[in-house]
Amino acid sequence: MIEEKLSQEDLWLYEVIRHPALCGEFLRNLDAHPKDEEWVYAPYQNEIICDFDYYVSICCARTVGKTVALTDILIWILINRVFWGDYIVYTVPNKVHLDPVWDNLVRMFRSNSLLMNYLQRGKGINSSDHNIKLLNNMSLDCRIAGTAGSGASVVGMHTPFEIVDEAGFYPWGTWIELQPTLNTWQKGFRRIVSGVPTGLRENNVLYFSDQIDKEFSLHRVSAHRNPRYSDDDEERNLVRYGGEDSEDYIHHVLGHHGTATFSVFDRSLMLIKQYPVFKIKLNGLDIDDISDYYLHLTALPAIEAKYDYIMMGVDLGYTEPTAIHVMYAKDGHMYWHARIQLTKVSYPIQKQLINFIDDKFGRFDIIGVDAGGPGKPVVQDLLEAEEFLHKDYDKRLIPVEFASNMVLGIDSEGEEIKTKLRPFSVSLAQEYSNSHKLVYSSTDMEFVTELERMTYTKTPKGDVVYKTLTLRGGAKGEDHHTAALLCMLVAHYTLRDQTIYKPNTKRLAGVSWGSV
Ligand SMILES: Nc1ncnc2c1ncn2[C@@H]1O[C@H](COP(=O)(O)OP(=O)(O)O)[C@@H](O)[C@H]1O
Ligand SMILES: [Mg+2]
């Protein structure tokens, strides 16, 4: 049989593709425009890509190019048939983490002039299961851990190669389930864990692989080693994160774990039952007429349970959404009935909507509304405007200003005992959760996950600072629904729980509000 001899060029190409780092650089430069800058890996990216240890940990600053390096490792394994006949796995906590990576992978396999040869035309990519199957019988499975945190998304998997990206947010329960999925008997098996520190230590996948488990080969990179990180970036970050000593700067720019941060809520301590919670999201930009809002809200079913009383918690916003919780109390437990989110709805309309919801459910016994920000007039109007006077909001609605102090009682000298409202409200929520007074719903793990993102750190002065982590590492996390719950609890405390001490303020039944 006569076979065509490989040309020298073919052999060069073969050597390039065989090499984990050269391969990625080659693929990324292959279709580039001659005027484009040549793609080269930063030295630390080469180190990551060429680390063949069984367990590799990458604990770095933001945007240093971790995910790019990991994506290229996946592609290299796939096209070189490193684990022939097996699937390899890329897993992340949430859909928001997978989307950009998935889009990038799909784009590369569809349009890169070398990679496109590995796919059967129009086949091989399944975007609903996030699975890519190549003609060479290699496949990639992307798995989202999801909010349930149970491990269901990875159970039953068997693979010689897996990457856990955004490990700072990876649910611990899923990580535990992930342990037996790695085929450690297979030659060259590997698990890579990568992410940006969050400050959390306990049951945190990234902290565990970087600091506790000694088996991992460690890569630690600060933003300052990123060749694309400019002086302007540094300046911006210093302003954005609040200086060199801020925890955000320490995590996002230095890539260090910083001061120990703790989770405030732990789902394993919560009582979670299966019952429906109705969720409505309305956007002011899609709706012109107030009657359309009413139409949507009318669709909310009535509360079926025989409740003792009903509560509403409201966190007001405009660009940042408004969160409204409709809850009921029954036999000493509190349940959610509905969570409503309003985005970009003007305050005058919001006022009417709150009133409408109040009418719809037959007047809430307890209403807590955040009155700290620009939503203040909403609260004032509900309490004082002529049109609402007949609704007696002053007997039911408590304005909540988190920056204020709350008076808990009077000491022996006759001085008021004050506490800062925010930490107080969080401790209320913690206590109500841990004592199972609050009953969370397994159909609404989205909210449980938001609660779990709330963390606290103690400053050197001993002050407790609460912060909600963002999934994507931004400066401030979304915690509007947490705030709505806190408002409800403060109102509940004021109107129901606080039986011992009642200062004689008129309107704010039971609370006096001072500024700090
Ligand atoms: N070697 C490189 N050359 C040019 N751009 C890069 C390089 N590595 C990463 N990038 C770019 O930097 C940005 C952040 O990369 P990414 O991998 O998402 O960072 P991380 O996962 O560390 O947050 C992306 O826009 C990516 O294209
Ligand atoms: Mg990344």
Side-chain angles (χ1 to χ4, degrees):
M1 194 164 63
I2 303 165
E3 283 185 14
E4 196 183 349
K5 216 176 137 208
L6 286 176
S7 69
Q8 188 58 44
E9 219 173 39
D10 293 336
L11 288 172
W12 283 334
L13 178 63
Y14 174 65
E15 286 303 321
V16 168
I17 302 284
R18 231 158 65 106
H19 190 287
L22 294 181
C23 174
E25 286 183 340
F26 172 76
L27 288 172
R28 285 180 184 271
N29 286 315
L30 184 58
D31 300 319
H33 191 270
K35 282 197 180 141
D36 285 348
E37 224 173 284
E38 191 187 338
W39 178 286
V40 262
Y41 288 131
Y44 58 81
Q45 285 179 308
N46 279 322
E47 285 168 18
I48 290 170
I49 291 170
C50 298
D51 189 340
F52 279 75
D53 217 308
Y54 298 128
Y55 300 99
V56 178
S57 160
I58 305 166
C59 177
C60 305
R62 292 183 66 192
T63 58
V64 294
K66 302 178 289 300
T67 302
V68 158
L70 298 175
T71 310
D72 290 1
I73 297 176
L74 292 171
I75 293 175
W76 179 79
I77 290 178
L78 290 173
I79 65 176
N80 281 282
R81 299 204 300 188
V82 178
F83 301 102
W84 193 69
D86 280 307
Y87 56 89
I88 59 173
V89 173
Y90 176 81
T91 174
V92 285
N94 260 286
K95 192 168 180 302
V96 289
H97 302 126
L98 182 57
D99 285 345
V101 179
W102 175 256
D103 293 346
N104 200 19
L105 275 165
V106 169
R107 190 172 40 79
M108 289 191 67
F109 274 105
R110 287 243 164 89
S111 63
N112 185 283
S113 53
L114 179 73
L115 290 180
M116 61 199 284
N117 299 300
Y118 284 83
L119 275 182
Q120 200 180 338
R121 204 165 243 288
K123 291 210 171 123
I125 296 181
N126 183 332
S127 283
S128 51
D129 289 347
H130 297 113
N131 175 288
I132 296 180
K133 198 165 170 47
L134 302 188
L135 282 168
N136 67 5
N137 210 18
M138 284 291 305
S139 51
L140 167 70
D141 230 348
C142 300
R143 302 278 178 118
I144 298 166
T147 46
S150 61
S153 50
V154 300
V155 167
M157 232 168 56
H158 293 286
T159 176
F161 183 90
E162 61 195 21
I163 293 177
V164 180
D165 204 354
E166 304 289 354
F169 297 103
Y170 205 80
W172 186 252
T174 316
W175 167 254
I176 298 293
E177 296 293 345
L178 200 63
Q179 296 314 301
T181 63
L182 189 66
N183 294 349
T184 51
W185 65 86
Q186 248 173 293
K187 247 178 152 178
F189 76 87
R190 201 180 339 163
R191 171 181 289 143
I192 307 181
V193 173
S194 170
V196 179
T198 54
L200 289 168
R201 280 146 168 71
E202 212 176 319
N203 292 353
N204 185 271
V205 177
L206 186 65
Y207 187 81
F208 177 80
S209 51
D210 184 62
Q211 300 279 333
I212 297 176
D213 190 338
K214 297 294 170 226
E215 285 211 78
F216 280 85
S217 157
L218 304 179
H219 297 263
R220 293 167 177 161
V221 182
S222 74
H224 302 119
R225 280 173 65 195
N226 179 355
R228 291 170 306 282
Y229 189 76
S230 65
D231 291 345
D232 282 350
D233 291 333
E234 174 72 2
E235 199 135 309
R236 206 171 320 124
N237 282 337
L238 281 170
V239 173
R240 178 168 167 213
Y241 296 135
E244 264 178 1
D245 298 326
S246 76
E247 289 299 316
D248 281 336
Y249 183 88
I250 292 170
H251 301 152
H252 299 322
V253 178
L254 300 183
H256 294 171
H257 297 282
T259 315
T261 303
F262 304 90
S263 301
V264 178
F265 298 95
D266 178 348
R267 71 176 70 189
S268 64
L269 300 176
M270 296 174 179
L271 177 60
I272 303 178
K273 287 194 175 170
Q274 195 178 3
Y275 68 93
V277 178
F278 301 96
K279 279 163 268 181
I280 295 191
K281 287 187 182 177
L282 300 177
N283 192 320
L285 301 180
D286 304 333
I287 301 178
D288 314 316
D289 200 71
I290 192 155
S291 57
D292 285 344
Y293 288 105
Y294 291 157
L295 213 58
H296 283 284
L297 293 173
T298 308
L300 267 178
I303 304 174
E304 267 182 26
K306 289 223 166 353
Y307 54 78
D308 300 326
Y309 53 93
I310 50 177
M311 306 86 86
M312 169 155 65
V314 185
D315 180 48
L316 290 170
Y318 178 73
T319 19
E320 295 282 317
T322 290
I324 302 176
H325 288 201
V326 174
M327 301 179 66
Y328 58 92
K330 187 173 178 260
D331 304 330
H333 294 287
M334 296 174 177
Y335 301 83
W336 275 264
H337 175 66
R339 284 201 298 121
I340 302 160
Q341 184 164 315
L342 308 173
T343 309
K344 297 205 169 69
V345 176
S346 71
Y347 286 116
I349 292 187
Q350 291 201 40
K351 182 173 68 187
Q352 297 299 339
L353 297 184
I354 291 172
N355 188 48
F356 181 81
I357 298 170
D358 188 59
D359 283 338
K360 178 177 162 58
F361 286 98
R363 294 202 183 187
F364 288 89
D365 301 274
I366 294 168
I367 306 173
V369 189
D370 138 63
K376 208 170 195 151
V378 172
V379 181
Q380 255 159 19
D381 281 359
L382 285 171
L383 288 170
E384 287 163 15
E386 190 80 36
E387 58 175 318
F388 299 123
L389 280 183
H390 69 287
K391 300 271 314 254
D392 281 342
Y393 279 117
D394 59 342
K395 296 201 180 68
R396 312 181 281 131
L397 189 155
I398 301 292
V400 178
E401 280 184 63
F402 286 117
S404 65
N405 288 314
M406 183 163 196
V407 179
L408 289 180
I410 303 263
D411 67 11
S412 54
E413 321 258 282
E415 295 284 319
E416 288 181 331
I417 305 168
K418 285 186 189 165
T419 175
K420 285 225 171 81
L421 188 55
R422 191 167 181 83
F424 178 75
S425 66
V426 175
S427 67
L428 269 182
Q430 226 175 354
E431 189 190 310
Y432 278 43
S433 294
N434 297 350
S435 65
H436 295 178
K437 240 182 171 174
L438 282 164
V439 184
Y440 295 92
S441 166
S442 60
T443 64
D444 189 16
M445 294 311 277
E446 201 186 333
F447 177 52
V448 171
T449 312
E450 181 185 305
L451 280 173
E452 279 187 324
R453 285 206 304 272
M454 180 183 265
T455 64
Y456 71 95
T457 343
K458 270 212 161 103
T459 65
K461 268 173 65 195
D463 285 333
V464 175
V465 178
Y466 292 101
K467 209 185 105 192
T468 299
L469 300 173
T470 21
L471 281 174
R472 307 187 77 168
K476 191 177 173 296
E478 295 215 336
D479 55 1
H480 313 294
H481 287 276
T482 309
L485 171 64
L486 296 181
C487 287
M488 190 290 285
L489 288 175
V490 169
H492 188 276
Y493 179 84
T494 312
L495 294 170
R496 293 253 161 180
D497 289 351
Q498 200 191 25
T499 44
I500 314 156
Y501 172 72
K502 292 221 188 285
N504 40 5
T505 40
K506 271 175 277 143
R507 192 156 55 76
L508 299 179
V511 187
S512 88
W513 305 85
S515 52
V516 224

